[in-house]
Amino acid sequence: SNDCSAMFQDAGGYKNSFDANGGTGMMSFTKATAGEYVGYALPANGFIAPVGMKFHAWEVGGTQKAVGDTITIGETTAVKVLWEYINYNVGVTNGTASAGGNTITTAIINKEVTLTAAAIPGKVFDHWVVDSESASITLTDPNSATTTFTMPAGDVSVKAEYIDVISSVDITDITAPVSNTALDTTAACATAGISTTAPAVTWAPSA
């Protein structure tokens, strides 16, 4: 099992152990005089924390203890490590991150995070870009102004990208397919290499 506990039995028959509590690795008590463990100073953590967590404190007999605190070892004393979640940074350029309806700048591993692109006058949202130095994430829809991802064990940095909005087009610069026939402005703009998000409009020359 990866949930390792190291047990030490001294000459007096005491059985004492460190409990990794979901972490990995081994730790053992440093033996003093056989059977004498009054004033034992709790050491620094030597276990490897579970992914997304870090050392918080020791627990002895249901009471939290800090590194360096002294305890008296009894006949059977278990020292359990307590872990806490790491809050990783969530950086968003041109938008916000939220979880549970609240705006956030940090999140713990496996938290569902929602990204919302900001509204910028004269521009329309195009897609999200994950920074090259960001921890790896998978967006549910990178082309949606509102999307989600599951927080990894690392800092995340994303940016919303936009394109300019063309609110009007001078159709005198576009040649209709056939003289004096109706012209679909959206199709004509595309043919002319002009990007527009305006709704399709059909124009017809006056009689």
Side-chain angles (χ1 to χ4, degrees), residues 61-158:
T63 301
Q64 287 191 24
K65 299 286 186 179
V67 172
D69 284 358
T70 58
I71 61 173
T72 299
I73 303 299
E75 186 171 344
T76 54
T77 301
V79 178
K80 182 169 68 175
V81 63
L82 301 179
W83 308 111
E84 64 178 304
Y85 282 103
I86 298 171
N87 277 292
Y88 297 102
N89 294 320
V90 182
V92 185
T93 301
N94 297 331
T96 57
S98 62
N102 299 313
T103 300
I104 61 171
T105 56
T106 63
I108 63 174
I109 189 173
N110 295 328
K111 173 73 73 175
E112 183 178 272
V113 178
T114 298
L115 298 175
T116 304
I120 299 179
K123 295 182 180 294
V124 63
F125 173 82
D126 188 51
H127 64 280
W128 292 100
V129 174
V130 180
D131 189 86
S132 60
E133 296 183 358
S134 170
S136 178
I137 60 173
T138 300
L139 299 173
T140 54
D141 186 353
N143 299 312
S144 173
T146 300
T147 190
T148 62
F149 68 90
T150 300
M151 193 67 188
D155 295 338
V156 168
S157 179
V158 296

Side-chain angles (χ1 to χ4, degrees), residues 10 13 16 18 23-24 29 31 35 37 63 66 84 88 93 104 115-116 119 134 144 169 173 186-188 193:
D10 69 15
N16 308 291
F18 281 97
T24 57
F29 283 93
K31 182 180 177 182
Y37 285 90
T63 301
E84 64 178 304
Y88 297 102
T93 301
I104 61 171
L115 298 175
T116 304
S134 170
S144 173
V169 176
D173 293 334
T186 301

Side-chain angles (χ1 to χ4, degrees), residues 44-72:
N45 169 54
F47 293 118
I48 298 172
V51 176
M53 306 188 82
K54 63 182 179 179
F55 176 80
H56 175 66
W58 294 111
E59 182 182 88
V60 182
T63 301
Q64 287 191 24
K65 299 286 186 179
V67 172
D69 284 358
T70 58
I71 61 173
T72 299

